[in-house]
Every structure is written in structure tokens, then in C-alpha cells.
Amino acid sequence: MDDLRELIKKLIELEQNEKNGSAKSQDSLLLDEKIRNFGCNPDAIRDIVNDFPHDANIDNIVENILKIIGKEITFRKPMMISDRGFISKSVSTKETNEGLERKTEKALIVTVSGKVIEESEIGVRCSICNQYDNKDHAFNCNRCGRGLCILHTSFFKNEKGDNVPYCPACYKEVIYNQYMW
């Protein structure tokens, strides 16, 4: 909540500078984006700020804005994803006696190998099982180039001693060709 508090203070200071004749800056746009990432509407905050007297204390304004927000609860929900997609973030708000209570639900992805990861860590969609795997377990077949998860990757040690990834069909061909000579 302290980060949101600082962002709101900066927003109020920028608003006061703009009222004094300064042009809208690039910082204002970046600040709006950061506030939206917290699930707040910067335009609604500006409307609240405009209701206060121009000489009001910034800390009092911030405290009044945060009282309106009330309490924030964040859940992290593991889920298997499919081609139908998934909701990466869901924000809901309900009114309580203390103010508003905001619930944020963020998705954690369960990969085909069983590892629980963030959305940004997805590395590959396996062309065999159509499931997703993380970046550490993402491979491409050395022969046909298909994306593979760790479960459907077969490794063959080449002449140099490197483990080379292959899909099951290409692996069979490599083994067959190896023993043909």
C-alpha cells in the first residue's frame, strides 16, 4: 500500500503543477499506468483531488483517498491453461462498512511437468500434447523444429558429446540411421 501512497502523492503534485500552468508531461502518463497496475483509476483520483481545497495538505488528501479504497486482498490461483485461454488477473470490488474492499485474483500456471510458474515464465506449447511448459523445459526438435515440453523430448548424444533434443518421431529416425551404418 505504501507504493500506491507514493504514486498518489506524485499524481497530486503533478496535478497541482499542471494547474499552475505546466504542460502535461510524460511522467504523468507513466504515473497513470503505474496507478492502473494497482487496480485504481487515476481519473477518479483526480476527481477526488479536485474536490479538496487547493491549499489542502497532500498527506490528508492521500489518507482520504486510501480510506475510500479500504482493504486489498490478493489471491494467487494455480490453474492449467488450454487453448481456450485463461484470465490472468481479475479485480473485483465490494462495499463494506470500512470502505471498499478490492480482491485481486492472479493466475499461476501449472505446467505439464507439474511446476507452478507465473504467466511470464511460459516457454513453449508442446506440439505433441498441446500443453504448456516453462522456459527451463522448452525445447525445439533439432530436425523438424517442433516445440516440445520436457515430457515429449528425447535426447540423443551426438558425435561431439552434446545432448540434442528430438521429438519422438525424429528420435526414432535418428536411432534407426545411427544403427544402419
PDB file of all heavy atoms in Angstrom, residues 11-34:
ATOM      1  N   LEU A  11       1.001  11.977  -8.134  1.00  0.00           N
ATOM      2  CA  LEU A  11      -0.099  12.391  -9.005  1.00  0.00           C
ATOM      3  C   LEU A  11      -0.674  13.733  -8.550  1.00  0.00           C
ATOM      4  O   LEU A  11      -0.932  14.618  -9.373  1.00  0.00           O
ATOM      5  CB  LEU A  11      -1.191  11.319  -9.033  1.00  0.00           C
ATOM      6  CG  LEU A  11      -2.385  11.617  -9.916  1.00  0.00           C
ATOM      7  CD1 LEU A  11      -1.983  11.509 -11.385  1.00  0.00           C
ATOM      8  CD2 LEU A  11      -3.522  10.666  -9.617  1.00  0.00           C
ATOM      9  N   ILE A  12      -0.845  13.899  -7.251  1.00  0.00           N
ATOM     10  CA  ILE A  12      -1.382  15.156  -6.720  1.00  0.00           C
ATOM     11  C   ILE A  12      -0.414  16.299  -7.008  1.00  0.00           C
ATOM     12  O   ILE A  12      -0.835  17.394  -7.431  1.00  0.00           O
ATOM     13  CB  ILE A  12      -1.653  15.024  -5.200  1.00  0.00           C
ATOM     14  CG1 ILE A  12      -2.797  14.034  -4.967  1.00  0.00           C
ATOM     15  CG2 ILE A  12      -1.980  16.379  -4.587  1.00  0.00           C
ATOM     16  CD1 ILE A  12      -2.988  13.644  -3.516  1.00  0.00           C
ATOM     17  N   GLU A  13       0.879  16.058  -6.816  1.00  0.00           N
ATOM     18  CA  GLU A  13       1.867  17.101  -7.082  1.00  0.00           C
ATOM     19  C   GLU A  13       1.872  17.481  -8.563  1.00  0.00           C
ATOM     20  O   GLU A  13       1.949  18.673  -8.904  1.00  0.00           O
ATOM     21  CB  GLU A  13       3.254  16.629  -6.653  1.00  0.00           C
ATOM     22  CG  GLU A  13       3.413  16.524  -5.153  1.00  0.00           C
ATOM     23  CD  GLU A  13       4.692  15.824  -4.733  1.00  0.00           C
ATOM     24  OE1 GLU A  13       5.458  15.376  -5.611  1.00  0.00           O
ATOM     25  OE2 GLU A  13       4.916  15.707  -3.513  1.00  0.00           O
ATOM     26  N   LEU A  14       1.773  16.486  -9.442  1.00  0.00           N
ATOM     27  CA  LEU A  14       1.719  16.790 -10.880  1.00  0.00           C
ATOM     28  C   LEU A  14       0.462  17.575 -11.236  1.00  0.00           C
ATOM     29  O   LEU A  14       0.502  18.488 -12.059  1.00  0.00           O
ATOM     30  CB  LEU A  14       1.780  15.495 -11.698  1.00  0.00           C
ATOM     31  CG  LEU A  14       3.161  14.873 -11.882  1.00  0.00           C
ATOM     32  CD1 LEU A  14       3.043  13.528 -12.571  1.00  0.00           C
ATOM     33  CD2 LEU A  14       4.061  15.786 -12.681  1.00  0.00           C
ATOM     34  N   GLU A  15      -0.653  17.211 -10.615  1.00  0.00           N
ATOM     35  CA  GLU A  15      -1.909  17.925 -10.866  1.00  0.00           C
ATOM     36  C   GLU A  15      -1.794  19.384 -10.429  1.00  0.00           C
ATOM     37  O   GLU A  15      -2.263  20.286 -11.119  1.00  0.00           O
ATOM     38  CB  GLU A  15      -3.072  17.244 -10.130  1.00  0.00           C
ATOM     39  CG  GLU A  15      -3.580  16.008 -10.801  1.00  0.00           C
ATOM     40  CD  GLU A  15      -4.164  16.283 -12.164  1.00  0.00           C
ATOM     41  OE1 GLU A  15      -5.036  17.157 -12.306  1.00  0.00           O
ATOM     42  OE2 GLU A  15      -3.734  15.609 -13.116  1.00  0.00           O
ATOM     43  N   GLN A  16      -1.168  19.601  -9.272  1.00  0.00           N
ATOM     44  CA  GLN A  16      -1.003  20.974  -8.793  1.00  0.00           C
ATOM     45  C   GLN A  16      -0.073  21.761  -9.715  1.00  0.00           C
ATOM     46  O   GLN A  16      -0.307  22.937  -9.974  1.00  0.00           O
ATOM     47  CB  GLN A  16      -0.473  20.971  -7.361  1.00  0.00           C
ATOM     48  CG  GLN A  16      -1.509  20.511  -6.361  1.00  0.00           C
ATOM     49  CD  GLN A  16      -0.970  20.419  -4.950  1.00  0.00           C
ATOM     50  OE1 GLN A  16       0.236  20.468  -4.721  1.00  0.00           O
ATOM     51  NE2 GLN A  16      -1.874  20.261  -3.990  1.00  0.00           N
ATOM     52  N   ASN A  17       0.977  21.119 -10.234  1.00  0.00           N
ATOM     53  CA  ASN A  17       1.889  21.793 -11.171  1.00  0.00           C
ATOM     54  C   ASN A  17       1.175  22.124 -12.475  1.00  0.00           C
ATOM     55  O   ASN A  17       1.406  23.180 -13.061  1.00  0.00           O
ATOM     56  CB  ASN A  17       3.119  20.931 -11.450  1.00  0.00           C
ATOM     57  CG  ASN A  17       4.046  20.850 -10.258  1.00  0.00           C
ATOM     58  OD1 ASN A  17       3.982  21.689  -9.369  1.00  0.00           O
ATOM     59  ND2 ASN A  17       4.874  19.829 -10.228  1.00  0.00           N
ATOM     60  N   GLU A  18       0.314  21.224 -12.944  1.00  0.00           N
ATOM     61  CA  GLU A  18      -0.422  21.468 -14.179  1.00  0.00           C
ATOM     62  C   GLU A  18      -1.431  22.608 -14.004  1.00  0.00           C
ATOM     63  O   GLU A  18      -1.674  23.375 -14.926  1.00  0.00           O
ATOM     64  CB  GLU A  18      -1.134  20.193 -14.640  1.00  0.00           C
ATOM     65  CG  GLU A  18      -0.171  19.155 -15.192  1.00  0.00           C
ATOM     66  CD  GLU A  18      -0.857  17.850 -15.566  1.00  0.00           C
ATOM     67  OE1 GLU A  18      -2.105  17.814 -15.610  1.00  0.00           O
ATOM     68  OE2 GLU A  18      -0.136  16.877 -15.818  1.00  0.00           O
ATOM     69  N   LYS A  19      -2.006  22.735 -12.790  1.00  0.00           N
ATOM     70  CA  LYS A  19      -2.931  23.841 -12.524  1.00  0.00           C
ATOM     71  C   LYS A  19      -2.190  25.175 -12.525  1.00  0.00           C
ATOM     72  O   LYS A  19      -2.758  26.203 -12.850  1.00  0.00           O
ATOM     73  CB  LYS A  19      -3.634  23.650 -11.179  1.00  0.00           C
ATOM     74  CG  LYS A  19      -4.726  22.628 -11.217  1.00  0.00           C
ATOM     75  CD  LYS A  19      -5.405  22.523  -9.876  1.00  0.00           C
ATOM     76  CE  LYS A  19      -6.450  21.446  -9.884  1.00  0.00           C
ATOM     77  NZ  LYS A  19      -7.077  21.277  -8.569  1.00  0.00           N
ATOM     78  N   ASN A  20      -0.905  25.125 -12.165  1.00  0.00           N
ATOM     79  CA  ASN A  20      -0.098  26.347 -12.139  1.00  0.00           C
ATOM     80  C   ASN A  20       0.441  26.711 -13.509  1.00  0.00           C
ATOM     81  O   ASN A  20       1.234  27.630 -13.633  1.00  0.00           O
ATOM     82  CB  ASN A  20       1.066  26.199 -11.147  1.00  0.00           C
ATOM     83  CG  ASN A  20       0.586  26.088  -9.721  1.00  0.00           C
ATOM     84  OD1 ASN A  20      -0.506  26.539  -9.396  1.00  0.00           O
ATOM     85  ND2 ASN A  20       1.387  25.475  -8.877  1.00  0.00           N
ATOM     86  N   GLY A  21       0.070  25.976 -14.546  1.00  0.00           N
ATOM     87  CA  GLY A  21       0.453  26.354 -15.898  1.00  0.00           C
ATOM     88  C   GLY A  21       1.438  25.437 -16.575  1.00  0.00           C
ATOM     89  O   GLY A  21       1.771  25.630 -17.728  1.00  0.00           O
ATOM     90  N   SER A  22       1.940  24.429 -15.897  1.00  0.00           N
ATOM     91  CA  SER A  22       2.874  23.496 -16.533  1.00  0.00           C
ATOM     92  C   SER A  22       2.116  22.582 -17.485  1.00  0.00           C
ATOM     93  O   SER A  22       0.976  22.214 -17.233  1.00  0.00           O
ATOM     94  CB  SER A  22       3.591  22.636 -15.487  1.00  0.00           C
ATOM     95  OG  SER A  22       4.328  23.457 -14.625  1.00  0.00           O
ATOM     96  N   ALA A  23       2.750  22.199 -18.566  1.00  0.00           N
ATOM     97  CA  ALA A  23       2.128  21.294 -19.537  1.00  0.00           C
ATOM     98  C   ALA A  23       2.148  19.869 -18.998  1.00  0.00           C
ATOM     99  O   ALA A  23       2.966  19.512 -18.158  1.00  0.00           O
ATOM    100  CB  ALA A  23       2.883  21.348 -20.863  1.00  0.00           C
ATOM    101  N   LYS A  24       1.230  19.059 -19.503  1.00  0.00           N
ATOM    102  CA  LYS A  24       1.163  17.661 -19.099  1.00  0.00           C
ATOM    103  C   LYS A  24       2.427  16.955 -19.587  1.00  0.00           C
ATOM    104  O   LYS A  24       2.783  17.029 -20.749  1.00  0.00           O
ATOM    105  CB  LYS A  24      -0.082  16.997 -19.677  1.00  0.00           C
ATOM    106  CG  LYS A  24      -0.396  15.680 -19.042  1.00  0.00           C
ATOM    107  CD  LYS A  24      -1.795  15.244 -19.364  1.00  0.00           C
ATOM    108  CE  LYS A  24      -2.152  14.042 -18.528  1.00  0.00           C
ATOM    109  NZ  LYS A  24      -3.529  13.724 -18.563  1.00  0.00           N
ATOM    110  N   SER A  25       3.093  16.255 -18.681  1.00  0.00           N
ATOM    111  CA  SER A  25       4.389  15.656 -19.001  1.00  0.00           C
ATOM    112  C   SER A  25       4.266  14.165 -19.276  1.00  0.00           C
ATOM    113  O   SER A  25       3.227  13.555 -19.042  1.00  0.00           O
ATOM    114  CB  SER A  25       5.361  15.888 -17.849  1.00  0.00           C
ATOM    115  OG  SER A  25       4.921  15.178 -16.711  1.00  0.00           O
ATOM    116  N   GLN A  26       5.354  13.598 -19.751  1.00  0.00           N
ATOM    117  CA  GLN A  26       5.441  12.151 -19.989  1.00  0.00           C
ATOM    118  C   GLN A  26       5.351  11.405 -18.656  1.00  0.00           C
ATOM    119  O   GLN A  26       4.837  10.299 -18.593  1.00  0.00           O
ATOM    120  CB  GLN A  26       6.758  11.826 -20.714  1.00  0.00           C
ATOM    121  CG  GLN A  26       6.925  10.383 -21.079  1.00  0.00           C
ATOM    122  CD  GLN A  26       5.972   9.949 -22.173  1.00  0.00           C
ATOM    123  OE1 GLN A  26       5.504  10.749 -22.958  1.00  0.00           O
ATOM    124  NE2 GLN A  26       5.687   8.669 -22.213  1.00  0.00           N
ATOM    125  N   ASP A  27       5.850  12.043 -17.575  1.00  0.00           N
ATOM    126  CA  ASP A  27       5.785  11.435 -16.244  1.00  0.00           C
ATOM    127  C   ASP A  27       4.345  11.178 -15.833  1.00  0.00           C
ATOM    128  O   ASP A  27       4.043  10.188 -15.170  1.00  0.00           O
ATOM    129  CB  ASP A  27       6.446  12.340 -15.196  1.00  0.00           C
ATOM    130  CG  ASP A  27       7.942  12.462 -15.414  1.00  0.00           C
ATOM    131  OD1 ASP A  27       8.513  11.565 -16.073  1.00  0.00           O
ATOM    132  OD2 ASP A  27       8.529  13.441 -14.932  1.00  0.00           O
ATOM    133  N   SER A  28       3.447  12.064 -16.230  1.00  0.00           N
ATOM    134  CA  SER A  28       2.039  11.906 -15.885  1.00  0.00           C
ATOM    135  C   SER A  28       1.450  10.653 -16.523  1.00  0.00           C
ATOM    136  O   SER A  28       0.698   9.919 -15.895  1.00  0.00           O
ATOM    137  CB  SER A  28       1.263  13.146 -16.329  1.00  0.00           C
ATOM    138  OG  SER A  28      -0.101  12.999 -16.030  1.00  0.00           O
ATOM    139  N   LEU A  29       1.820  10.388 -17.773  1.00  0.00           N
ATOM    140  CA  LEU A  29       1.319   9.191 -18.455  1.00  0.00           C
ATOM    141  C   LEU A  29       1.877   7.922 -17.821  1.00  0.00           C
ATOM    142  O   LEU A  29       1.154   6.933 -17.651  1.00  0.00           O
ATOM    143  CB  LEU A  29       1.671   9.245 -19.943  1.00  0.00           C
ATOM    144  CG  LEU A  29       1.064  10.407 -20.735  1.00  0.00           C
ATOM    145  CD1 LEU A  29       1.605  10.423 -22.154  1.00  0.00           C
ATOM    146  CD2 LEU A  29      -0.448  10.313 -20.730  1.00  0.00           C
ATOM    147  N   LEU A  30       3.165   7.928 -17.461  1.00  0.00           N
ATOM    148  CA  LEU A  30       3.767   6.770 -16.801  1.00  0.00           C
ATOM    149  C   LEU A  30       3.146   6.540 -15.431  1.00  0.00           C
ATOM    150  O   LEU A  30       2.905   5.403 -15.022  1.00  0.00           O
ATOM    151  CB  LEU A  30       5.271   6.969 -16.669  1.00  0.00           C
ATOM    152  CG  LEU A  30       6.080   6.974 -17.966  1.00  0.00           C
ATOM    153  CD1 LEU A  30       7.524   7.364 -17.698  1.00  0.00           C
ATOM    154  CD2 LEU A  30       6.006   5.623 -18.635  1.00  0.00           C
ATOM    155  N   LEU A  31       2.880   7.627 -14.733  1.00  0.00           N
ATOM    156  CA  LEU A  31       2.270   7.549 -13.418  1.00  0.00           C
ATOM    157  C   LEU A  31       0.859   6.969 -13.510  1.00  0.00           C
ATOM    158  O   LEU A  31       0.461   6.132 -12.689  1.00  0.00           O
ATOM    159  CB  LEU A  31       2.249   8.942 -12.791  1.00  0.00           C
ATOM    160  CG  LEU A  31       1.978   9.054 -11.317  1.00  0.00           C
ATOM    161  CD1 LEU A  31       3.008   8.251 -10.532  1.00  0.00           C
ATOM    162  CD2 LEU A  31       2.024  10.507 -10.893  1.00  0.00           C
ATOM    163  N   ASP A  32       0.102   7.392 -14.526  1.00  0.00           N
ATOM    164  CA  ASP A  32      -1.240   6.843 -14.742  1.00  0.00           C
ATOM    165  C   ASP A  32      -1.180   5.336 -14.932  1.00  0.00           C
ATOM    166  O   ASP A  32      -1.993   4.592 -14.378  1.00  0.00           O
ATOM    167  CB  ASP A  32      -1.903   7.485 -15.961  1.00  0.00           C
ATOM    168  CG  ASP A  32      -2.386   8.900 -15.689  1.00  0.00           C
ATOM    169  OD1 ASP A  32      -2.200   9.389 -14.559  1.00  0.00           O
ATOM    170  OD2 ASP A  32      -2.950   9.511 -16.623  1.00  0.00           O
ATOM    171  N   GLU A  33      -0.225   4.862 -15.714  1.00  0.00           N
ATOM    172  CA  GLU A  33      -0.088   3.431 -15.980  1.00  0.00           C
ATOM    173  C   GLU A  33       0.251   2.663 -14.708  1.00  0.00           C
ATOM    174  O   GLU A  33      -0.289   1.590 -14.452  1.00  0.00           O
ATOM    175  CB  GLU A  33       0.984   3.196 -17.057  1.00  0.00           C
ATOM    176  CG  GLU A  33       1.117   1.771 -17.482  1.00  0.00           C
ATOM    177  CD  GLU A  33      -0.142   1.218 -18.115  1.00  0.00           C
ATOM    178  OE1 GLU A  33      -0.882   1.983 -18.766  1.00  0.00           O
ATOM    179  OE2 GLU A  33      -0.391   0.014 -17.955  1.00  0.00           O
ATOM    180  N   LYS A  34       1.150   3.216 -13.882  1.00  0.00           N
ATOM    181  CA  LYS A  34       1.521   2.557 -12.629  1.00  0.00           C
ATOM    182  C   LYS A  34       0.327   2.471 -11.682  1.00  0.00           C
ATOM    183  O   LYS A  34       0.128   1.457 -11.019  1.00  0.00           O
ATOM    184  CB  LYS A  34       2.668   3.308 -11.954  1.00  0.00           C
ATOM    185  CG  LYS A  34       4.001   3.141 -12.650  1.00  0.00           C
ATOM    186  CD  LYS A  34       5.087   3.917 -11.930  1.00  0.00           C
ATOM    187  CE  LYS A  34       6.415   3.804 -12.657  1.00  0.00           C
ATOM    188  NZ  LYS A  34       7.462   4.595 -11.993  1.00  0.00           N
TER     189      LYS A  34
END
